[in-house]
Structure formats: C-alpha cells, structure tokens
Amino acid sequence: LDNSVSESKVLEEIRKLNADSRVHAILVQLPLPQHMDEAKILREIAVEKDADGFSAVNVGNMWMRGGIIPRALPCTAAGCVELLIRSNIQIKGKRCVVIGRSNIVGMPAAALMMAKDATVTVAHSKTNNLPQLVQEADIVVAAIGKPNYVKAEWLKSNCVVIDVGINAVDDATTKKGYRLVGDVDFQ
C-alpha cells in the first residue's frame, strides 16, 4: 500500500489478513503516514499474527518477569541485546542508558536489557542532565532519532555503544545529496 492510502483501507487489509489462515504473520512498516493512528492500526493485528511484537499482549508479556514468553519481540531491540550477547559483553549488573522512548526501539530495549539483569535508565531529549547520565553508563543504546545528538565526550572510556539511529543529513558532496549518520557523534 502506498502512503496516500486511507486508514480505513489499511484496517480493512489487516482484517482480511487476520482472517486468512494462509497468513501466519503481519508486519506493519512503521512509522506510518501522518494521517494514520499508529496505535489503532497496531491494535487491529491479531496477537497470534503480530510479527513485530507490538501488540499490548506481547508488550505486556515482554515486561512481565516470570510471565508468558511473548510470541514475538520487537526486532531492533532484540537485535541490540543479541549483538551484546554475541560480542560477549556482560549485561548482568551493568548500568545501561537507553536514549529514546519509542515503542519501536527504546522501550522494548529497556525491557529486554532489564530482563538480562541490567540496571536501566530510559532517557530522552527532555531528560535533565543527560550528559551526566550517559557518562555513568556501561552500555548506551542510542535510539533518539536525532543526528549526532549524543556527543563523544558524554561517553566514558570502555563504554559499549549501540547506535540505532539512521538519520539523513544534507551533504552536497555525495551523489544523492545526503548521507546517513547515527544518533551518536563519535568525533
């Protein structure tokens, strides 16, 4: 479906996919166009077909200690934790600052890091003393969606940084006229 599609048409398509026994999973590409209610669209997806793990049931199960294992986990947040595990980075007992509180990355990353016994602080662009919080972190997950927002001097030495940001910034020296940068300015 293209960006001009109506919200009612998207809801209709999701209902069709929910009813189709040949369809095992549904993924709605976020963010949605401005004219759509993201929460309403995601609520329409049957829990058993929620490929992103964004349904209230899956999110609730993700946050519950000792609860039912979610049917799906938000993939970027799960990928952050998997990257740490495969890199042999100890999570248990570490202080983690997640910068960004989106339902797509920030909040799920916080939940998954806490499930691995990290001490987690969720911060955002309105957090007071953000540089000081970041300086105390052993692990930083930057998912704020702002180019080069986190500065290198905020990071303590030996801090592990996962920069989830994908931001286009103007750059006349490139063929496309822009380049991609993360949320962390390592310079």
Side-chain angles (χ1 to χ4, degrees), residues 51-169:
D52 274 324
F54 292 154
S55 72
V57 171
N58 277 325
V59 170
N61 287 336
M62 180 177 56
W63 280 94
M64 298 252 331
R65 287 188 59 81
I68 298 168
I69 296 172
R71 290 178 156 273
L73 294 171
C75 62
T76 304
C80 291
V81 173
E82 188 66 24
L83 177 64
L84 293 169
I85 291 168
R86 289 185 185 210
S87 299
N88 296 314
I89 304 297
Q90 182 176 331
I91 301 171
K92 183 178 183 176
K94 298 297 182 181
R95 181 162 177 126
C96 176
V97 174
V98 177
I99 307 169
R101 54 186 168 175
S102 74
N103 292 326
I104 299 171
V105 181
M107 296 308 289
L112 296 174
M113 296 295 276
M114 287 193 319
K116 294 292 184 188
D117 297 319
T119 300
V120 179
T121 300
V122 177
H124 46 81
S125 62
K126 312 253 183 317
T127 298
N128 291 328
N129 301 317
L130 184 57
Q132 290 83 358
L133 279 175
V134 173
Q135 284 175 340
E136 297 171 5
D138 302 305
I139 301 169
V140 173
V141 178
I144 198 164
K146 295 180 182 273
N148 298 315
Y149 187 82
V150 178
K151 305 301 176 200
E153 58 268 16
W154 298 3
L155 305 167
K156 72 179 184 182
S157 87
N158 297 322
C159 175
V160 175
V161 179
I162 300 177
D163 187 348
V164 179
I166 303 172
N167 307 286
V169 296

